[in-house]
Amino acid sequence: MSPPVAPPGWSRWLVPPAALSVHLSIGQAYAWSVFKPPLESALGLSGTQSALPFQLGIVMLGLSAAFGGTLVERNGPRWAMTVALVCFSSGFLLSALGASLEQYWLIVFGYGFVGGIGLGIGYISPVSTLIKWFPDRPGMATGIAIMGFGGGALIASPWSAQMLESFGGDSSGIALAFLVHGLSYAVFMLLGVLLVRVPSSAPRARGTARQAPTGPQVSANQAIRTPQFWCLWIVLCMNVTAGIGILEKAAPMITDFFADTSTPVSVTAAAGFVALLSAANMAGRIGWSSTSDLIGRKNIYRVYLGVGALMYALIALFGDSSKPLFVLCALVILSFYGGGFATVPAYLKDLFGTYQVGAIHGRLLTAWSTAGVLGPLIVNWIADRQEEAGRHGASLYGLSFVIMIGLLVVGFVANELVRPVDPRHHVPQPKEADRVQQSESA
């Protein structure tokens, strides 16, 4: 499937909606918690077991993005979006079959493994194309698309809850909800497949050679040999760990913090808090990434990591004495969490160029897989140990918050160590770039 080239007069503003159709769909992953209670009830699962499809999905997201990044660069966005559509929708259809047969392993395989591949390929599918269409505002362009992944849960959560209420929370009702999800997302993602275009080659005057891209151009295989890549890997991992540590346990966390006060948090209010965090996650992806176009990527990550550590410190010291302070700090942290995802493709473009930025981005997303395990593990394991020791309320989270502050400081230092890539890693000439790409594709 050859990449579709935009005809003359094609508006570049049609590309972000194509990307959004994919990212809003795969963003359903953040709404998996809606299915946890009915699955636990219908199939007799524990909370740990019901989390397996989501956890495996996030791990496969990072791995498929890393190993499939070069294929995405080679075959183009339409091929990648098609693969994402097939895998993500098939994951739901397999899960529907698993729920109908009451075979939970099939749900884990379908949603987690097969659907997780769709998550990874779909997540990186529009990145390099958007950067090529918007070289003047790469942070804004990728922020618009990646905003959809953060906002997908705002659509999927109430929609999934309504279906489960209508179809029932037993295994057959869950199966029907999975089936509707798979078919509906296939249609919605198809819009992106049909709409996406890549820019045509820049016009050249008669008798002149086509100019090579300006700035550094580094292949994916060379990028992972540079200290800049691994510094950014640490930066992304630390930022995501800090954000997902709150996001994964948001409702019980705010309930625990104020359980011993005169104004405890109700179940409804806790659910509203989760919705606010999703909104902050989504807003941060477009707001902070657009700001990075003005103040620079390194400066915006100084904000994410430095101010993020301050927000965690404020929650640890004063969070249980003020609900507005707790909520405000958590919203800021989640906006940084979303902003970090949306800004990193532009940061990679600044360092490594546009040559194989999608493949480089895919490899970097292994940091997300690591953080997706590390963040919840830190918060939940420490909270469980503190509870066993007889502690309760805000004291369940004090140690984990101190650890998060330390991780953000590590990320801050790694960001400060980022320097321009040594020219020996560059691919200087278009012919040489073609030769390198052919050798890496072999």
Side-chain angles (χ1 to χ4, degrees), residues 32-343:
W32 173 254
S33 60
V34 174
F35 289 101
K36 283 170 61 69
L39 280 170
E40 291 168 14
S41 176
L43 302 181
L45 306 174
S46 67
T48 302
Q49 289 173 320
S50 66
L52 281 176
F54 173 78
Q55 291 176 314
L56 180 58
I58 295 299
V59 170
M60 291 307 301
L61 186 158
L63 294 178
S64 62
F67 290 103
T70 303
L71 289 174
V72 172
E73 287 290 305
R74 186 192 312 158
N75 297 318
R78 175 168 287 180
W79 175 89
M81 289 181 178
T82 301
V83 171
L85 183 160
V86 172
C87 291
F88 189 65
S89 296
S90 296
F92 268 114
L93 299 182
L94 287 170
S95 297
L97 179 61
S100 178
L101 298 176
E102 297 188 359
Q103 296 293 318
Y104 186 59
W105 70 267
L106 192 53
I107 298 176
V108 175
F109 174 76
Y111 188 92
F113 185 81
V114 178
I117 294 173
L119 288 178
I121 300 298
Y123 191 87
I124 63 174
S125 62
V127 170
S128 63
T129 302
L130 283 165
I131 288 176
K132 290 170 184 174
W133 274 110
F134 294 86
D136 52 332
R137 286 179 282 182
M140 180 213 68
T142 54
I144 289 175
I146 294 176
M147 173 185 70
F149 193 86
L154 292 178
I155 299 172
S157 292
W159 183 39
S160 300
Q162 182 59 49
M163 277 196 288
L164 290 170
E165 184 178 339
S166 300
F167 301 151
D170 57 2
S171 58
S172 60
I174 297 170
L176 189 54
F178 282 152
L179 177 64
V180 173
H181 272 79
L183 297 177
S184 299
Y185 282 130
V187 173
F188 194 55
M189 294 172 76
L190 184 61
L191 297 176
V193 172
L194 298 176
L195 189 60
V196 73
R197 299 286 188 277
V198 297
S200 59
S201 299
R204 44 182 172 157
R206 182 177 297 179
T208 62
R210 182 166 49 193
Q211 293 182 342
T214 59
Q217 301 296 323
V218 182
S219 71
N221 284 352
Q222 279 297 313
I224 62 173
R225 296 183 173 95
T226 65
Q228 288 83 357
F229 176 88
W230 294 106
C231 283
L232 279 187
W233 193 97
I234 293 171
V235 166
L236 183 64
C237 185
M238 299 301 100
N239 191 59
V240 174
T241 299
I244 209 168
I246 287 182
L247 185 62
E248 190 272 340
K249 202 174 175 65
M253 183 181 292
I254 193 172
T255 302
D256 289 338
F257 252 80
F258 299 98
D260 298 330
T261 68
S262 58
T263 55
V265 176
S266 67
V267 174
T268 303
F273 174 62
V274 174
L276 282 176
L277 292 181
S278 296
N281 179 9
M282 180 175 65
R285 293 175 186 241
I286 180 62
W288 292 120
S289 61
S290 297
T291 304
S292 77
D293 289 332
L294 301 176
I295 69 174
R297 309 326 154 190
K298 194 167 190 175
N299 285 333
I300 201 67
Y301 272 96
R302 285 169 173 153
V303 174
Y304 297 158
L305 300 160
V307 178
L310 176 61
M311 294 297 102
Y312 258 115
L314 289 175
I315 293 177
L317 294 172
F318 310 110
D320 59 343
S321 62
S322 172
K323 283 182 186 176
L325 178 65
F326 179 93
V327 172
L328 178 62
C329 291
L331 291 176
V332 172
I333 291 171
L334 263 294
S335 75
F336 293 161
Y337 169 81
F341 279 124
T343 309

